Each structure stands twice: as structure tokens, then as C-alpha cells.
């Protein structure tokens, strides 16, 4: 009997990849994905703990499922990912109808946990037990199961890392690492129509920024064997992928020790991937850490034309005092040195950043320095967030959240306004250029054709849906520099790489007209290997 699965993902690209791997594993065990949450046999939320807003969404979803559980007691509900790891079994006390907790470092165990929970629920239904409440009196063993404390036959499924992190220091260990096998297990075929794919090259983080929970929820850095990464990319390209994005919390830290004295650096890996998979038109990576980005890696990006010249490098603040309080490990001077080196190697490189405003003790003077850094670097875009205290982080224990909410909001809006101004200027400078884009899908914008007095035609862009006389703008794509381009076209172009001339620009979006269709595959580079 086919069982249905609803899986909702919150947070970063790493969570998106985790969900793809989980979905692949559960499909192989007979589950069928459904968009209907309340009628699904299994409901999973893959969660994020980086910001409070993402957690609040999960709490809301779990609350909404109370009634669905009463109506369908055999439904299995699971919380996986970073929030499960951070909150732990306290989730059971707040939401007794949750059956599964699985942290991101234990996802290889999830298929068995789902199977066990489904069987337990079905047995409860037959025996008439129903969803009895959990009273919280019994502690859960790490990696084990937990009874509900009321005599029901049901045992909750729990797999959390706790204080013990699984990691692989050598190639031999990696070969038997179940998480490595999870990464390699993704089932994909040309029939899936996948054109863009993520590939993890590192897990975890060693930075311990004071505001961040990632080192605690995902564990320390573990670098995957380069041969496994190359093979995974080959399989994705063979299945139709035209763009692969490498993932890592601090991706340029990648350095794999082979155990025989050899090591593969991030620069080596980029070059090897570029040369070993010549049929891949585009290779990207996120997210980079500014202090340790080497000239060797910049040189590979410059010389290997199929590597996109795009760098997402969070700055977080322009104040040295705040950067020190954040434990970021670099100064604004070091950050600017990186930006200048990147642009010296690649004058056309596109840069993006992250910023946190309202970090504890941040003054108007500190914020002014952040504005100054933003204007100096002129990022393609920046992800700007108000600081929110995250339980379990150093910042919560060390600093009072002393910046008033209205001040955070004002600084957030002010910094967004500066970035919007820069985006507008950057985009206007691209009008008239012809750029290469990967067509990703249908656009959310529509174009309205209107006659000019001279009998010509102009296009006015507005949010869909439009009235009957508006023609839907079929397509949206991205340049190698990650700029978003909307244009009219044929849905059959989705997944292709095309040349588009930029004819108009707004703050966050470029508008273009197709010039010609093509494969977009650039010949292999002739860079000197960095190893």
C-alpha cells in the first residue's frame, strides 16, 4: 500500500538539500509525496534555528496539526533538522502529538524511524490506544526511542547528536560514514527534469560565531572525499543538471586530508571538478568566509570560465568592535582586502553579503560604519536581518539584548534603503548589455503591451495575475553573477542557457529580450592545477 508523505522545508540551501535526500530515501521505501498536509500519512517539517521567525512558523504548523491528529490518529508527525536538535525532547512536552525528532546529523536514520513510527501508529489504532499525551517524565536516550509515559504501546522515535558528534577524519572512515552514504544515495534520472542541483562538500562549522546555533546543531566541520563529490556531480550532469551549486557553511575552508600526506584544498577541488566534468555548463558555490579565501581559489575562478563569478561572503557588520563581539575572526580591513583582491582577479565578479543589525551594544556609530562598508563594497544584494537572541548561543549568555526593537527596525530599514539604492544603480548600468542566463521557470511578473503615440510598443511590468489583455511573462532566469532577469518567451526554453539583452532594470530585477538560443557550454579552461 502506498503511503503519502508531506515534507515542508524551512531555512537555507543546506536544508533544501537535506529534504531532497530524505525525500529520495522515503520514495525508495514506497512513500509518495503529496501537497496535502492534513491528509498525509506522514508529515515532516525540516526546520531552521538560525532566526526566530523560522521557528515560529514551525510552532504554528505543529499547532495547526492538533485537530488533524484527532481526526486521523494514525498520522505520523515528525520534526527534523536544526530546530529538532536545538529544542530536543522539550518539543514532546509542548506538542505531544509529535512522533519523531531527528537532528541534521542523524538523517541517515530517518527512514527506519519513519517506518517504526508508522507501525506504532497503526498498532495503536488497532489496539484503540490513540494519541495519548506525553508527560515528560522519561528522558530520551540519544539515538534511541522514547515511550510516551502513559502506558501506550507507542514509542517515540528520537535521533539527536547531543554532545557526541559523528565525524570522519580519514578516507577510510568516510567510506563507512552513513551520512556520506546518504549524500551519495540521491536517486535522480533525466525524467525528473532537474536542471539545477545542490551538492554538499562540507558538513558543520567550526567558527562558533556568538549569535549562531549551527555549530551546535550540525556539529564540527567534516570534509567529504573529493572523489565522491566529483562522482556525485557527474551523476547529476548525466541526469540533466546544467548548474550545480556546492554547499558548505564556510565552504572555502574545505580541505580534505587523504591520510597519506596528500591534501585537497578548496582551490584544488574547484579545478578538479571543472576539468573532470566538462559537460557541466555552470558551477557555483556558497557560502564563503572572508578571512580564509585564498588567491589560489580566486585564480581558479578567474581561469575556469564555467565557474560562475559570484561570491556570497557575509560581512555581518562594518564595526570592528561588533565583529569582535560576534567572534567573526576578522576586521573590516581584512574584509575589504578580500573584496579588493576578488575584484583585482575578476573585475566582473558579483558580490553578495549578509548583515545583522541591532546586535547587543550596537551604537549609532557602529551602525554608521556598517552603512559605510555597504557603500564601499557595492554588493549585488545583501540579506539584512534584525538580531534575534537564539537560545543556546554564546551571545544570549554573554550579552543583554539591549538595542530597542524600534531602533533595530529603523536600522534594518535604513540599511535596506541603502542596498536598494546600490542595486538600482548596479542594475541600471547593465541596461544594453547582453548576458548569459539559465532559464529557471515561469516569472511572477506580467508584461502589459501598450501602444505608443507613434505606433510603437512599450512594455509595462506588474505583479501577476493580470487582466485578460495582459500577456504572462513566461520566464525568469539568472546570470552567472546571480542577477535575476525576466523576459517573454516559450516555456520550452526552461532549463536552457540563453543570451538575453537587458532592456530595462528595477531595483531587484532586470528585464530582457532573447538574442539567441544556445547550449551555453564554455570550452574547458587551461588553468594550471593548483595542487
Amino acid at each position: 500500500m502506498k503511503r503519502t508523505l508531506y515534507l515542508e522545508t524551512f531555512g537555507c540551501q543546506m536544508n533544501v538539500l537535506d529534504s531532497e535526500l530524505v525525500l529520495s530515501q522515503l520514495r525508495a521505501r514506497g512513500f509518495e509525496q503529496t501537497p496535502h498536509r492534513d491528509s498525509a500519512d506522514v508529515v515532516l517539517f525540516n526546520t531552521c534555528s538560525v532566526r526566530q521567525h523560522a521557528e515560529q512558523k514551525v510552532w504554528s504548523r505543529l499547532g495547526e496539526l492538533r485537530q488533524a491528529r484527532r481526526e486521523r490518529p494514525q498520522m505520523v508527525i515528525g520534526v527534523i533538522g536544526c530546530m529538532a536538535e536545538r529544542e530536543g525532547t522539550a518539543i514532546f512536552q509542548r506538542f505531544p502529538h509529535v512522533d519523531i525528532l531527528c537532528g541534521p546529523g542523524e538523517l541517515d536514520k530517518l527512514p527506519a524511524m519513519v517506518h517504526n513510527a508508522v507501525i506504532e501508529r497503526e498498532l495503536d489504532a488497532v489496539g484503540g490506544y490513540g494519541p495519548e499525551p506525553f508527560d515528560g517524565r522519561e528522558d530520551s536516550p540519544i539515538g534511541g526511542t522514547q515511550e510516551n509515559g502513559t502506558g501506550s504501546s507507542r514509542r517515540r522515535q528520537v535521533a539527536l547528536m547531543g554532545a557526541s558528534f559523528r565525524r570522519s577524519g580519514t578516507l577510510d572512515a568516510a567510506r563507512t560514514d552513513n551520512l556520506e552514504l546518504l549524500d551519495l544515495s540521491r536517486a535522480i534520472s533525466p525524467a525528473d527534469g532537474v536542471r539545477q542541483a545542490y551538492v554538499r562538500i562540507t558538513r558543520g562549522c567550526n567558527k562558533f560565531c556568538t549569535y549562531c546555533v549551527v555549530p551546535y546543531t550540525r556539529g564540527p566541520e567534516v570534509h567529504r572525499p573529493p572523489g565522491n563529490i566529483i562522482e556525485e556531480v557527474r551523476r547529476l550532469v548525466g541526469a540533466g543538471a546544467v548548474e550545480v551549486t556546492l554547499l558548505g557553511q564556510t565552504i572555502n575552508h574545505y580541505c580534505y586530508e587523504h591520510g597519506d600526506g596528500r591534501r585537497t584544498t578548496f582551490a584544488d577541488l574547484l579545478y578538479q571538478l571543472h576539468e573532470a566534468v566538462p559537460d557541466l555548463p555552470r558551477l557555483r558555490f556558497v557560502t564563503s568566509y572572508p578571512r580564509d579565501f585564498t588567491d589560489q581559489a580566486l585564480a581558479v575562478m578567474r581561469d575556469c570560465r564555467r565557474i560562475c563569478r559570484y561570491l556570497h561572503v557575509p560581512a555581518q557588520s562594518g564595526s570592528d568592535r561588533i565583529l569582535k563581539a560576534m567572534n567573526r575572526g576578522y576586521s573590516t580591513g581584512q574584509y575589504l582586502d578580500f573584496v579588493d583582491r576578488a575584484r583585482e582577479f575578476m573585475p566582473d565578479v558579483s558580490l553578495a553579503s549578509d548583515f545583522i543589525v541591532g546586535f547587543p551594544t550596537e551604537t549609532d556609530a557602529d551602525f554608521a560604519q556598517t552603512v559605510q562598508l555597504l557603500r564601499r563594497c557595492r554588493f549585488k544584494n545583501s540579506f539584512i536581518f534584525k538580531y534575534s537572541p537564539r537560545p543556546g548561543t554564546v551571545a544570549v549568555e554573554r550579552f543583554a539584548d539591549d538595542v530597542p526593537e524600534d531602533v533595530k527596525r529603523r536600522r534594518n530599514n535604513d540599511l535596506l534603503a541603502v542596498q536598494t539604492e546600490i542595486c538600482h544603480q548596479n542594475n541600471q548600468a547593465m541596461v544594453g548589455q547582453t548576458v548569459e542566463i539559465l532559464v529557471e521557470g515561469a516569472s511572477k511578473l506580467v508584461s502589459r503591451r501598450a501602444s505608443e503615440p507613434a505606433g510603437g510598443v512599450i512594455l509595462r511590468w506588474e505583479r501577476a495575475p493580470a487582466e485578460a489583455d495582459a500577456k504572462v511573462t513566461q520566464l525568469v532566469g539568472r546570470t552567472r553573477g546571480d542577477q535575476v532577469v525576466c523576459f517573454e518567451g516559450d516555456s520550452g526554453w526552461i532549463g536552457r542557457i540563453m543570451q538575453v539583452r537587458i532592456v530595462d532594470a528595477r531595483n531587484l530585477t532586470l528585464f530582457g529580450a532573447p538574442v539567441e538560443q544556445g547550449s551555453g557550454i564554455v570550452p574547458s579552461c587551461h588553468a594550471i592545477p593548483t595542487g
Side-chain angles (χ1 to χ4, degrees), residues 477-499:
R478 287 181 190 268
T479 70
R480 288 179 171 271
D482 203 50
Q483 291 95 351
V484 176
V485 182
C486 291
F487 65 100
E488 291 188 346
D490 189 307
S491 61
W493 296 349
I494 294 174
R496 295 186 183 181
I497 291 180
M498 302 177 58
Q499 299 294 316

Side-chain angles (χ1 to χ4, degrees), residues 98-143:
V98 171
D99 300 284
I100 295 172
L101 292 179
C102 185
E106 303 292 325
L107 288 177
D108 55 291
K109 299 178 180 177
L110 186 63
M113 297 170 68
V114 170
H115 172 79
N116 291 342
V118 167
I119 298 302
E120 292 285 353
R121 275 287 166 194
E122 290 176 351
L123 289 175
D124 274 356
V126 172
Y129 288 103
E132 299 182 22
F134 171 62
D135 63 8
R137 289 178 297 182
E138 296 186 30
D139 293 329
S140 167
I142 296 300

